[in-house]
Amino acid sequence: MTSDAAILREALRAVAPGTPLREGLERIQRSHTGALIVLGYTPEIQAMCSGGFDLDVAFTAARLRELCKMDGAVIIDPDLWRIRKANVQLFPDPTIPTDESGMRHRTAQRTARQTHLPVLSLSASMRMISIYVGTEHRLVEEPEALLSRANLAVDTLDRYSQRLDEVLQTLTILEMRDSATVRDVATVMQRMEMIRRITSEITEYLEELGSEGRLLALQVEDLVRGSASERALVMRDYIRDPADVARVEAELTSLGSERIVDLTAIANILGLDVYEVADLDREIMPSGVRALSLVPHLSWNAIKAVSAHFTTLPQLRAASVADIEVIDGVGHYRAQLIVENLAHQAQAVGAGVVGW
């Protein structure tokens, strides 16, 4: 069953600037009238309706505005985007608690709590749009306020992305010198998780901004391009059991904001066995997955086969073409590419060049 929070997110996307529903709501606001709109046409909602009249017409902003001139609620089928009923009186269970004061808002909140459908209430006097879903309640913000907060979040994302590049380059150099520590790995994963959280927050802003957030979306896409795949590669380098990756992802996501700064907690989620602070400085070897991903024309199946055969990057770098070509699915040509590319990576690190 879809959660109330997820349904609310869908409703916020439906009322984002540039959508037909938002256009209809803005027309209602300009006419200084209120409205009660239910996004859902279910048997439960039908049983709750009294009076009014039945319709089965395609949704348009103009029709919504005209129908909302009447006092009753408008019922919209969001699956087909058709207006099903208008000027109806809703009779939700009066025993359902509500903390609203106005009649329209009280009806909206009770209807939403009873049906778990999105119910929109527009205040004629305050020109505010409220969305209720179950126990969830959100006010639809103006694009200017959302853009301001989204821009601040993008600036933060930019700074964290730059910092991630620095710590990731440091980890790469240390890996090639066989001196990476648990602290280095945990720091990279911490930065990656913080970037994921900031990006998730910005995504919510962009959903609510609709057409107003197109330029910002391009900027965010440019900042996070490739970050998800890089995160997956680092995990595969240090999580020995591939089946454990999903668990690590889930635990990092659920880690509280006060613990995301705790490198010990992150290291233990990765399964790196940190029992005291000194353990963070223990050296650790990557499996070589990230280094192999830089080899051109090497499939993911080949990368998994090679990293399973040579369990650490130092073992892989010490292997000859003959050692590698015996692995199923690799062959002489790919083995030669691997050896040459790993040597090139080591030379690049020695010369101080990391972005090969």
Side-chain angles (χ1 to χ4, degrees), residues 85-127:
K85 289 179 178 289
N87 198 32
V88 298
Q89 190 172 0
L90 294 174
F91 286 96
D93 184 349
T95 63
I96 295 174
T98 174
D99 51 14
E100 296 289 355
S101 56
M103 184 62 69
R104 181 182 290 121
H105 286 69
R106 289 168 69 86
T107 301
Q109 190 174 53
R110 283 187 169 132
T111 301
R113 288 184 172 181
Q114 184 172 335
T115 66
H116 296 274
L117 293 173
V119 183
L120 281 60
S121 179
L122 276 72
S123 169
S125 58
M126 300 183 67
R127 294 174 56 82

Side-chain angles (χ1 to χ4, degrees), residues 300-351:
W300 178 241
N301 285 334
I303 290 174
K304 290 192 293 183
V306 173
S307 61
H309 189 86
F310 301 99
T311 56
T312 66
L313 181 58
Q315 290 179 8
L316 178 58
R317 290 209 320 271
S320 65
V321 173
D323 294 330
I324 299 173
E325 67 182 0
V326 298
I327 301 172
D328 288 341
V330 178
H332 181 78
Y333 171 71
R334 289 192 179 92
Q336 193 169 9
L337 274 178
I338 291 170
V339 170
E340 291 175 355
N341 194 273
L342 290 177
H344 177 60
Q345 291 180 28
Q347 290 171 3
V349 167

Side-chain angles (χ1 to χ4, degrees), residues 7-66:
I7 296 172
L8 178 62
R9 295 301 324 160
E10 286 291 331
L12 287 167
R13 283 193 286 270
V15 301
T19 61
L21 181 53
R22 182 58 173 264
E23 183 186 347
L25 298 177
E26 288 174 348
R27 289 189 181 206
I28 295 168
Q29 287 181 317
R30 287 196 295 270
S31 65
H32 301 285
T33 56
L36 182 60
I37 302 165
V38 179
L39 297 180
Y41 188 60
T42 64
E44 189 175 16
I45 271 292
Q46 293 177 56
M48 202 181 292
C49 294
S50 176
F53 48 90
D54 294 332
L55 292 171
D56 187 12
V57 296
F59 174 89
T60 67
R63 283 173 177 160
L64 180 65
R65 187 247 181 183
E66 292 300 321

